[in-house]
Amino acid sequence: MRFDRHTVVLLVRPDDAPDLPQDALDRIQDAHLAHQAGLVEQGAVLAAGPFLDGDDGRVRGFVVLSVDPQMARELYANDPAVRAGRLVAQVSSWMVPEGQVRFEEVPVPRSMLEAAAGD
């Protein structure tokens, strides 16, 4: 059997994340979404999104990438939320049977305002 290998990133809120005013958190979130959208446009990110209602509230998001783990570490070291200490990127390789998972190009939000707009 052949396998596809992807790099995945779990975005985790560290226990020592800085406590910031809401306006700073909003700016960081918008910058994080813009960074993520840029990675999608570059073809590095195949799919990404937040977790909701999870058993561990520290785990905030999941990303599947088309790049190797070292490149993923480099890309996420530049994520504004990671640089601000609000998130930590945990990188792993993920193997699935070849062809089991397919990714489509779809628009992604570049800000919270765009995400909230829906269609």
Side-chain angles (χ1 to χ4, degrees), residues 3-10 46 62-73 89-97 103:
F3 290 86
D4 290 329
R5 184 174 180 159
H6 302 285
T7 300
V8 297
V9 171
L10 284 178
L46 300 172
F62 179 75
V63 186
V64 181
L65 297 105
S66 64
V67 300
D68 64 65
Q70 185 54 38
M71 177 58 73
R73 287 181 187 92
Q90 296 179 349
V91 179
S92 297
S93 291
W94 180 46
M95 291 177 47
V96 294
F103 300 95

Side-chain angles (χ1 to χ4, degrees), residues 6-94:
H6 302 285
T7 300
V8 297
V9 171
L10 284 178
L11 294 170
V12 179
R13 174 80 30 85
D15 292 334
D16 62 349
D19 194 20
L20 301 171
Q22 189 60 49
D23 63 325
L25 294 173
D26 292 343
R27 282 193 305 275
I28 290 168
Q29 183 65 16
D30 279 348
H32 163 72
L33 290 175
H35 177 263
Q36 194 91 288
L39 296 178
V40 169
E41 290 166 2
Q42 293 172 25
V45 168
L46 300 172
F51 283 118
L52 304 173
D53 305 322
D55 290 337
D56 185 345
R58 295 173 303 149
V59 181
R60 309 299 295 166
F62 179 75
V63 186
V64 181
L65 297 105
S66 64
V67 300
D68 64 65
Q70 185 54 38
M71 177 58 73
R73 287 181 187 92
E74 293 172 19
L75 294 173
Y76 278 86
N78 290 318
D79 184 296
V82 172
R83 287 194 334 252
R86 295 292 298 168
L87 294 174
V88 172
Q90 296 179 349
V91 179
S92 297
S93 291
W94 180 46

